Amino acid sequence: MANSDRPTTVIADVYRGTFIHSTQTTAVQILEDALLGVDTQGKIAFIGKGKELDKLSQTFGFSPSAVTQLKQYEFFMPGMVDTHIHASQYSYAGTALDMPLLQWLNTYTFPVESRFKDLEFAKRVYTHVVKRTLRNGTTTACYFATIHTDASLLLGQIANDFGQRALVGKVCMDRNNSVKHYKETSQESQEETCRFIAELLNKKYPLVKPVVTPRFAPSCTGALLGQLGAIAKNNHLHIQSHISENTEEVKLVKELFPESESYTDVYHKYNLLTDKTVMAHGCYLSDKELDLFRETGASLSHCPNSNISLCSGMLNIRNVLNHKVKLGLGTDVAGGYSASMLDAVRRALDTSKVLTIQDPDHDTLTFEEVFRLATLGGSQALSLDDQTGNFEVGKDFDALRVDVVAPGAPIDLIQNEDPKILLEKFLNLGDDRNIVEVFVAGRNVVPFTEPTD
């Protein structure tokens, strides 16, 4: 009976050092000289204090000599969650930012996305985007692909091979008069969406799941939106789309769906607003629409780089948070020119400060709040916060090992600083060179081990 209290879990790794994460009540919580154990399933088995090493080693059956000790200016933080990124647009990221949204789609996006029927091209682009986002600390990504089922399945395979947690969406669009060869019939879209979902689920990837993806209301008929709402409901799946990105688009939706009270009402009418829905942008949502988001449990993805780069608008995050709507950050490549969530953090802070310049009474976001949006907030927006988002016992160990003074990295540390200052410097100045290791579900995925064929 002496060992009856010992947990049955088997410990794979134990780390000691500084851990920084968010909780429901605290935007930034710092655990100094902490011990964190990861079991063989990649889950956090325990979190304790360094001085409890002997006790914890006896309780969980690991050797104190096997503990990995972080260096003085290193810390662990949760992996970042990109709640909105177009994997298929990565090839032209950093270019083509000279037009407003609707013209931009017709001129650049649709012609490039139509190329993804070529699986070799798709493999090249998707491999690059998964590696780039992982290297930049994105452990979870919510991806838009294209209308091509096989290429979308390939994106799921590549994310799985490299160990990234991902929601992958085959894009649905049965209305596109500008690039006529890049659209489906309603029946094709419905049938191919069902095939995509069935085949991706059949792969039984542990961390990659399908997400129902109407591109946005202007590129879908009401009939297709209704079908997709039913598919998502019947399969208990996530849903992603766009909403209220720019004024021209909002006006177009009003013309296309005159019977609907608002842009949000269009999606609500077709059962596309659920507690597993994430909508990108939302720059022009009314308070009434935000109330509907809260009531349905639907989430918003704030994509500040894209909002500014395409001159779409500026989302007032404070107002969204005041309405108690779930909110995460997105890079929105390639409307956003950077695939790094660190850029999304910085642009979110910039946007909030611009709103304060325009209205001095605006309550400016703090870097602590935006850190939470990039991690726990993103996992909540994707309804994955039972699995990831912070360091809680039972959750998957999705984490970044950050070295603030990594050789060749862009941060010069002049004096000894406390962990909160180190975090702030990393968020404002750091890049992938400061991210020395990336873990997803306990697996060390960066530095890369190339997947075998």
Side-chain angles (χ1 to χ4, degrees), residues 156-232:
Q157 178 194 320
I158 291 167
N160 175 72
D161 287 347
F162 282 101
Q164 189 173 51
R165 188 184 304 275
L167 293 170
V168 175
K170 182 208 98 56
V171 171
C172 300
M173 48 192 292
D174 64 346
R175 182 153 53 185
N176 183 7
N177 294 326
S178 53
V179 183
K180 289 186 169 57
H181 60 283
Y182 187 55
K183 68 175 178 181
E184 316 155 288
T185 66
S186 294
Q187 186 172 350
E188 284 172 342
S189 191
Q190 182 181 5
E191 290 174 354
E192 286 300 297
T193 295
C194 290
R195 177 167 82 88
F196 170 73
I197 291 166
E199 292 194 20
L200 187 55
L201 290 176
N202 193 47
K203 301 284 188 185
K204 294 186 166 48
Y205 297 140
L207 302 176
V208 179
K209 299 290 184 281
V211 49
V212 174
T213 307
R215 180 173 216 111
F216 66 159
S219 64
C220 297
T221 60
L224 177 57
L225 291 174
Q227 291 162 355
L228 295 176
I231 290 170

Side-chain angles (χ1 to χ4, degrees), residues 245-289:
E245 185 171 352
N246 83 355
T247 53
E248 188 182 2
E249 169 216 11
V250 174
K251 183 182 173 192
L252 178 60
V253 169
K254 198 175 183 69
E255 292 168 2
L256 292 172
F257 298 90
E259 72 286 354
S260 292
E261 188 179 315
S262 64
Y263 201 154
T264 303
D265 185 48
V266 174
Y267 290 127
H268 187 48
K269 181 174 292 185
Y270 294 111
N271 299 312
L272 289 165
L273 282 191
T274 75
D275 61 1
K276 295 176 83 172
T277 294
V278 58
M279 291 281 173
H281 304 292
C283 298
Y284 299 97
L285 294 176
S286 66
D287 286 349
K288 188 175 181 182
E289 288 176 282

Side-chain angles (χ1 to χ4, degrees), residues 264 268 273-275 277 285-300 319-327:
T264 303
H268 187 48
L273 282 191
T274 75
D275 61 1
T277 294
L285 294 176
S286 66
D287 286 349
K288 188 175 181 182
E289 288 176 282
L290 288 171
D291 288 340
L292 191 51
F293 266 77
R294 184 185 66 249
E295 289 162 17
T296 57
S299 308
L300 278 175
N319 190 43
V320 174
L321 295 175
N322 287 343
H323 279 81
K324 295 182 168 47
V325 173
K326 294 184 297 183
L327 182 72

Side-chain angles (χ1 to χ4, degrees), residues 123-134:
K123 182 178 182 180
R124 196 158 71 245
V125 175
Y126 288 156
T127 299
H128 277 300
V129 73
V130 169
K131 290 182 72 174
R132 178 65 63 186
T133 52
L134 271 175

Side-chain angles (χ1 to χ4, degrees), residues 20-22 26-29 75-78 80 329 345 349 366-378 389 423 426-427:
I20 305 175
H21 72 155
S22 301
T26 307
V28 169
Q29 184 181 68
F75 62 84
F76 270 116
M77 62 172 276
M80 290 183 281
L329 300 182
V345 165
L349 286 165
T366 65
F367 85 86
E368 294 96 334
E369 289 178 298
V370 178
F371 170 76
R372 177 159 55 188
L373 292 178
T375 54
L376 182 60
L423 173 65
F426 170 66
L427 294 178

